[in-house]
Amino acid sequence: MNPRHRESSVLLGSLLLATGSPGAVEPGEGGGAAPPSTPALGRVIPAPASVEPRSTPYRITADTRIRTRGAPGVQEVADHLAALLRPSTGHPLPVEEDVPDGIRLLLTDGEPDLGDEGYLLDSGPEAVTITARRPAGLFYGVQTLRQLLPAAVEERTEQPGPWTVPGGTVRDVPRYGYRGAMLDVARHFFTVDQVKRYVDQLALYKLNTLHLHLTDDQGWRIAVDSWPELTTKGAATQVGGGAGGHYTKDEYREIVRYAAARHLEVVPEIDMPGHTHAALTAYPKLNPDGEAPEPYTGVEVGFSTLCVPEEVTYHFVDDVVREVAELTPGDLLHIGGDEADATPKDEYAHFMDRAQALVTRHGKTVMGWHQLAGARPVAGAVIQYWGYDATSEEERRQVVDAALAGAKVVLSPADRSYLDMKYTEATELGLDWAGRVEVRRSYDWDPATYLDGLPEEALLGVEAPLWTETLATSAELEVMAFPRLPGIAELGWSPRATHDWDGYRQRLAAQAPRWDALGIRYHRSPQVPWPQQ
Ligand code: TNX
């Protein structure tokens, strides 16, 4: 037996004994009066760090009140919870200060181990109390509470209940600070409402980063005042020749606001110097040959480049980065850098040097796809690894060496975390250049050991990208994201000791009625013991 396996199963064994690990308790068990549809404490995705069930549940009734104490950010979490619970329970659930019982959301100065995102949830006959150091922690506690209620809580019309929360204590802290999902709104454009719908789905699984791939060969999707034709000309189409589209600055601000209200930070990506054909259709002076190409509606990659030697290119990058940075409350600005196959090799590093300097000048931290590691990443740059099993040792080594020199790393292995990969040969949507990725393959790996030699402190977390060459509707996004997205979210949140495919697939199966209630389409993978429909 591999010693590493032995060590982790011993650890898991002791965790099961010590805390009653997620999945260890069957529905209804230990819940006293809880009806069978009530999930057991711990039957949550991502798996909480630790769970101690008790036999005394809490029940939400017509008299339940939600208690806050008016600190900044807490009222918003309380309102979010009330808006979630009121339609399905039919109860008024007033949000009030200082009521002794009910659902209590409390900020504390203590509990330093909870950090900025952790929470404690205690459920008993008198109250459910969620305690955290920051509103983000309360928000994640609310997501756990949500999953502890029957799936019918997600319906938007009144349901019969009862609304029972299993008794006990959950103490929960994320493993990684970066837990992302990327949406490609360039290959197919998605409206603000479609993006919000996806944001809601990410929030349910405690993801904290929405990376928006805003520009590519097929379309430029974000208004830039100083280069207006990027969107008057460069947004006119998409893959397959549809109408395309773009976000005005106000629409984009609305996405940022909506995501922030759910404790997700938006990371905008302007992909350069390749993947820039749409920009070249709008501004031919950025093209090495100075010509205006026709719009592109295909799915090939690697054929476009900004003109690296011309100074106008850096005026362009400066303006775009400045305006996008102004729209970005978060720290990270992603400059792509992948598949610049049409950029001469010696020019690539020069371009990335200058683009990185501009990001830094506009007060943001550089993020880039891992090809940046083969150039000269600036100190503190965040490198997003998207390799897969066939990626060469040399390419991996470059990423590890960059990390040893001070770069940070986010892992998005294409044959694990890419939500656009087909599940099996029979999957109608999606691509398969990195292989086929069924649910188990997507879940069953460890970020901490994935890249040999990567220092632990360099690893910020994980991200699940969703490329949209083949995806044009919310239903199509969902059937690729679900059920793999919750697995990547769990890898980002849950301590390794909770990792267990068998327990996970049970918890995953238990999510299906929730997705049905939310109208989320999903792939009924044969690897998961789904309830009968
Ligand atoms: C590779 S991942 C790309 C994208 C494609 C994706 C499709 C990356 C940095 N580049 O341009 O959309 O594969 O899976």
Side-chain angles (χ1 to χ4, degrees):
M1 192 182 192
N2 173 336
R4 203 194 291 142
H5 285 163
R6 231 195 33 223
E7 189 191 6
S8 61
S9 59
V10 169
L11 190 61
L12 182 61
S14 59
L15 187 92
L16 284 169
L17 287 176
T19 63
S21 159
V25 186
E26 286 311 306
E29 194 183 305
S37 60
T38 300
L41 193 73
R43 184 163 276 209
V44 169
I45 293 179
S50 74
V51 173
E52 275 180 57
R54 281 195 303 271
S55 60
T56 46
Y58 177 76
R59 183 171 287 189
I60 298 175
T61 68
D63 297 326
T64 299
R65 290 171 292 177
I66 298 175
R67 171 185 164 177
T68 65
R69 224 186 251 147
V74 179
Q75 181 74 32
E76 287 80 354
V77 179
D79 291 342
H80 169 85
L81 175 63
L84 175 81
L85 298 179
R86 282 176 189 147
S88 50
T89 62
H91 300 324
L93 299 167
V95 176
E96 293 173 0
E97 300 214 352
D98 290 322
V99 291
D101 51 14
I103 304 174
R104 308 190 302 168
L105 304 177
L106 306 178
L107 284 185
T108 176
D109 290 335
E111 301 283 355
D113 293 351
L114 293 179
D116 288 347
E117 296 188 303
Y119 66 92
L120 282 168
L121 182 151
D122 185 82
S123 165
E126 302 298 321
V128 171
T129 306
I130 302 174
T131 310
R133 290 173 59 83
R134 303 266 181 271
L138 295 179
F139 184 82
Y140 297 133
V142 162
Q143 301 313 312
T144 294
L145 172 60
R146 190 176 165 184
Q147 290 192 29
L148 293 175
L149 285 160
V153 78
E154 308 291 350
E155 300 280 358
R156 298 296 78 187
T157 55
E158 194 170 330
Q159 306 293 312
W163 306 106
T164 306
V165 182
T169 304
V170 175
R171 187 185 180 91
D172 205 6
V173 184
R175 185 181 190 191
Y176 295 111
Y178 188 110
R179 304 179 306 278
M182 187 212 80
L183 184 62
D184 169 11
V185 296
R187 271 51 177 276
H188 280 100
F189 181 66
F190 292 87
T191 63
V192 173
D193 282 346
Q194 288 173 310
V195 175
K196 287 180 175 178
R197 182 176 165 88
Y198 199 51
V199 166
D200 284 334
Q201 295 164 7
L202 306 180
L204 174 57
Y205 296 102
K206 304 187 176 77
L207 292 167
N208 67 2
T209 306
L210 172 67
H211 166 186
L212 284 176
H213 183 76
L214 291 167
T215 66
D216 214 302
D217 294 316
Q218 296 85 349
W220 185 283
R221 307 301 181 202
I222 176 81
V224 177
D225 297 334
S226 51
W227 296 72
E229 293 184 5
L230 288 171
T231 47
T232 55
K233 286 193 178 154
T237 193
Q238 59 184 0
V239 168
H246 75 275
Y247 308 121
T248 64
K249 285 193 166 174
D250 277 345
E251 288 171 331
Y252 186 79
R253 285 189 192 99
E254 174 59 12
I255 293 174
V256 170
R257 185 204 63 76
Y258 191 89
R262 286 148 189 80
H263 295 275
L264 284 110
E265 194 168 286
V266 175
V267 175
E269 180 187 351
I270 306 295
D271 200 351
M272 307 178 278
H275 292 278
T276 43
H277 184 89
L280 306 181
T281 64
Y283 291 101
K285 62 184 169 188
L286 301 172
N287 200 353
D289 70 9
E291 310 261 320
E294 288 302 307
Y296 182 66
T297 61
V299 298
E300 297 301 316
V301 294
F303 59 87
S304 57
T305 182
L306 296 173
C307 183
V308 174
E310 288 293 337
E311 213 44 36
V312 65
T313 294
Y314 306 99
H315 295 310
F316 167 78
V317 176
D318 188 12
D319 288 336
V320 169
V321 167
R322 174 174 43 78
E323 291 196 33
V324 172
E326 279 166 10
L327 293 170
T328 303
D331 182 44
L332 296 171
L333 200 153
H334 201 306
I335 53 171
D338 59 313
E339 297 172 322
D341 303 342
T343 313
K345 216 169 171 0
D346 53 326
E347 292 187 2
Y348 175 79
H350 175 75
F351 176 86
M352 294 308 275
D353 283 348
R354 295 199 61 181
Q356 291 182 92
L358 290 168
V359 171
T360 307
R361 178 136 75 81
H362 292 298
K364 297 296 171 189
T365 296
V366 171
M367 185 159 176
W369 297 106
H370 77 252
Q371 281 66 26
L372 176 60
R376 291 177 288 262
V378 293
V382 178
I383 290 173
Q384 185 168 9
Y385 180 76
W386 60 284
Y388 63 124
D389 280 1
T391 298
S392 70
E393 208 33 60
E394 188 199 340
E395 210 170 318
R396 284 165 207 259
R397 192 68 229 170
Q398 276 177 352
V399 175
V400 172
D401 287 346
L404 290 167
K408 302 292 181 195
V409 174
V410 167
L411 291 177
S412 300
D415 54 353
R416 303 283 186 174
S417 73
Y418 268 33
L419 302 176
D420 65 315
M421 289 299 122
K422 290 177 183 292
Y423 295 94
T424 69
E425 208 176 335
T427 310
E428 281 170 32
L429 301 166
L431 304 175
D432 61 3
W433 62 263
R436 295 176 188 116
V437 184
E438 250 293 8
V439 180
R440 180 168 191 171
R441 182 168 177 78
S442 177
Y443 167 80
D444 222 353
W445 58 285
D446 182 4
T449 55
Y450 184 78
L451 274 185
D452 249 355
L454 187 73
E456 197 184 326
E457 63 282 3
L459 180 55
L460 299 186
V462 292
E463 181 179 297
L466 186 44
W467 301 99
T468 60
E469 285 95 331
T470 65
L471 313 173
T473 64
S474 284
E476 289 173 352
L477 296 180
E478 287 158 22
V479 81
M480 299 307 281
F482 289 85
R484 292 178 292 195
L485 176 76
I488 302 301
E490 176 148 322
L491 291 176
W493 180 281
S494 306
R496 186 63 190 170
T498 65
H499 190 91
D500 165 38
W501 164 250
D502 234 29
Y504 175 69
R505 64 193 200 107
Q506 308 284 341
R507 284 183 288 117
L508 193 57
Q511 296 284 311
R514 202 164 295 275
W515 300 335
D516 290 337
L518 288 164
I520 296 175
R521 291 260 326 272
Y522 64 98
H523 163 63
R524 283 182 71 90
S525 164
Q527 298 181 329
V528 179
W530 305 110
Q532 300 241 301
Q533 271 177 321

